[in-house]
Structures are given as structure tokens and as C-alpha cells.
Amino acid sequence: MMSDKPLRLLLGFDYGTKQIGVAVGQVITGQARELCVLKAQNGVPDWNRVEALIKEWQPDAVVVGLPLNMDGTSSEMSARAEKFARRLNGRYNLPAYTHDERLTTFEAKGQRLREGQSGGYRERPVDAIAAALLLQGWLEENCPG
């Protein structure tokens, strides 16, 4: 799903069945930052909220984290994440990429621990940080400065 249009701004999604973390990244700076966490019901987000984000940020593409097993094989969740990426592509006519996101949630929790948070991830979820980390990884891999 490559694009001929130059990529400037991307939205990253850390797909989950209950919550979907969202981040925004810029190709020119190679930086990504957390945006928000969308509630999901069995992996289905409020598409109106997704559309509002797409309209607000007008990304050139989207990147969805692919939760592979530690040995690199696909999982049921990675199949669902790929389906979510295809839906974003189909609904908003944007190039949709997937990126190996193994360890991003673990890394995000580590980041929060360093900031002094211990537990309480339900009240203060790390999904948006995980989305920023996976988007940052995609930018570093695909848009080297």
C-alpha cells in the first residue's frame, strides 16, 4: 500500500481489543508523540472519533502496530491488527503500513515507571506511548534522516 505522495505526517495506532493508542509523527523531524487513547469494544473503535482525528491531523498515511509473537510469528492479535489497518486504508483512502511492535507496551510501561508511575495502567493507560514508540520505530526504519 505504498504511496506516491511524499509522506509528511503520520498517525500511529497501537491496536488493542479494549483500547487503541494513537500517536502523531512527522517525517521531517523523525519524531512521534502520544496523542490519545480511543476506547474499543472487542477491537472496534468509535469510527466517528477515528474520523475526527483523520480530519484534524490530515495524515499522509497511518501505521498500525503488529503484535507478533516473540519468535516473529503471527498471532490472532496481529491478524486483527492487520484487519484494522486494512479498514483504515479502505475507509479513509490512506496508505496503511504495519510495524512490528513487540516490546513497545513493555517499553511504554518502563517509561511510565521512570516517571514514577507504578501500576494504575487502567486509569492512565500506556497505549498512546506504545503508539508513539511504534511510530518512532517505523519512522527510523523507513524515513532515515
Side-chain angles (χ1 to χ4, degrees), residues 83-142:
K83 184 178 178 183
F84 178 68
R86 285 193 304 273
R87 284 212 171 125
L88 288 169
N89 169 257
R91 275 177 184 255
Y92 307 110
N93 197 26
L94 289 167
Y97 305 98
T98 55
H99 184 72
D100 179 358
E101 61 146 60
R102 282 176 288 179
L103 300 179
T104 52
T105 300
F106 179 78
E107 233 177 284
K109 285 183 178 178
Q111 194 170 314
R112 279 284 170 79
L113 280 172
R114 288 189 294 280
E115 293 167 3
Q117 179 177 351
S118 60
Y121 299 113
R122 188 163 280 131
E123 299 78 38
R124 198 165 165 235
V126 295
D127 307 82
I129 295 173
L133 289 169
L134 75 88
L135 186 52
Q136 186 79 50
W138 188 90
L139 286 166
E140 287 166 7
E141 219 170 88
N142 294 280

Side-chain angles (χ1 to χ4, degrees), residues 23-74:
V24 61
Q26 294 187 343
V27 170
I28 196 158
T29 62
Q31 298 292 305
R33 66 178 175 85
E34 55 187 290
L35 261 188
C36 63
V37 176
L38 302 174
K39 293 280 178 228
Q41 298 240 298
N42 195 21
V44 180
D46 174 348
W47 287 105
N48 293 329
R49 292 272 326 268
V50 175
E51 190 165 339
L53 286 169
I54 300 281
K55 280 186 174 153
E56 179 182 352
W57 291 95
Q58 299 185 358
D60 300 304
V62 294
V63 178
V64 177
L66 202 54
L68 298 169
N69 293 317
M70 288 315 280
D71 65 1
T73 57
S74 292

Side-chain angles (χ1 to χ4, degrees), residues 4-17:
D4 297 335
K5 199 172 125 190
L7 298 178
R8 288 184 302 277
L9 190 87
L10 299 114
L11 286 183
F13 293 88
D14 178 43
Y15 177 81
T17 55

